[in-house]
């Protein structure tokens, strides 16, 4: 729940920022000179990219959460079997061992979105966020029945 609140607050702050920057861009365009119109258009591009990025990330999170809920209903969510340090962080060796098992499971059944979901969780536990995201994107695509490019 804490992560959802943090995400919503961050998204709200970004939307406010995009609106603020967007109004400045419009003010520059309304000024009417070649230089201010050029800067105004350039300033409007940044909030456009930001809104697109925020939208794509929000879609990704919603789709991943739907997969997690479905996997939970099936009883297939990966159990937390990781050793932790006294401070509560995941032990790297433990995460690597679980990752290896998840990787082998995924290699055995590469068309199963459930395996890719569990692999994404293992990547995240091993602190490899870019690969975790790619594995989750693959799980989402497989679940949706979309073609997956290797």
């Amino acid at each position: 729940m804490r992560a959802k609140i943090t995400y919503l607050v961050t998204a709200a702050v970004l939307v406010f920022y995009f609106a603020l920057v967007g109004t400045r861009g419009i003010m520059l365009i309304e000024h009417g000179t070649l230089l201010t119109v050029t800067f105004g258009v350039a300033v409007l591009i940044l909030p456009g990219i930001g809104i697109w990025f925020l939208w794509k990330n929000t879609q990704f999170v919603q789709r991943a959460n739907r997969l997690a809920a479905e996997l939970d209903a099936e009883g297939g969510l990966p159990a937390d079997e990781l050793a932790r340090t006294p401070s509560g962080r995941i032990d790297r060796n433990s995460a690597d061992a679980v990752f290896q098992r998840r990787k082998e499971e995924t290699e055995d059944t590469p068309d199963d979105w459930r395996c890719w979901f569990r692999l994404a969780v293992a990547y995240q536990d091993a602190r490899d966020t870019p690969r975790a995201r790619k594995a989750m994107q693959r799980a989402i695509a497989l679940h949706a029945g979309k073609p997956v490019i290797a």
Side-chain angles (χ1 to χ4, degrees):
M1 186 63 171
R2 184 176 178 180
K4 281 185 180 181
I5 292 170
T6 302
Y7 188 80
L8 288 173
V9 169
T10 304
V13 168
L14 283 172
V15 168
F16 174 75
Y17 173 76
F18 297 150
L20 185 65
V21 170
T23 58
R24 299 298 181 232
I26 291 169
M27 287 171 54
L28 285 167
I29 291 171
E30 287 175 343
H31 195 271
T33 67
L34 179 63
L35 185 63
T36 60
V37 169
T38 305
F39 281 149
V41 170
V43 166
L44 285 177
I45 289 172
L46 293 175
I49 292 170
I51 288 169
W52 174 82
F53 184 74
L54 184 62
W55 175 250
K56 294 308 276 182
N57 277 308
T58 301
Q59 284 183 320
F60 174 77
V61 168
Q62 288 174 338
R63 290 174 182 154
N65 284 340
R66 270 189 246 131
L67 292 187
E70 187 174 329
L71 202 54
D72 187 29
E74 295 174 358
L77 278 180
D80 186 3
E81 54 190 330
L82 300 168
R84 301 197 184 268
T85 64
S87 65
R89 292 190 64 140
I90 295 171
D91 178 63
R92 180 66 183 219
N93 292 332
S94 174
D96 288 345
V98 170
F99 167 77
Q100 194 58 39
R101 284 200 319 269
R102 298 291 182 222
K103 183 179 175 193
E104 291 168 3
E105 175 186 293
T106 305
E107 288 171 349
D108 291 341
T109 53
D111 294 330
D112 186 2
W113 68 266
R114 294 161 186 86
C115 293
W116 282 98
F117 182 95
R118 289 188 284 266
L119 181 64
V121 172
Y123 269 126
Q124 188 64 38
D125 290 341
R127 298 185 198 117
D128 191 347
T129 304
R131 287 190 179 133
R133 189 169 181 91
K134 284 203 175 290
M136 187 60 73
Q137 287 170 339
R138 188 167 189 138
I140 291 167
L142 286 169
H143 182 265
K146 294 179 183 175
V148 179
I149 299 169

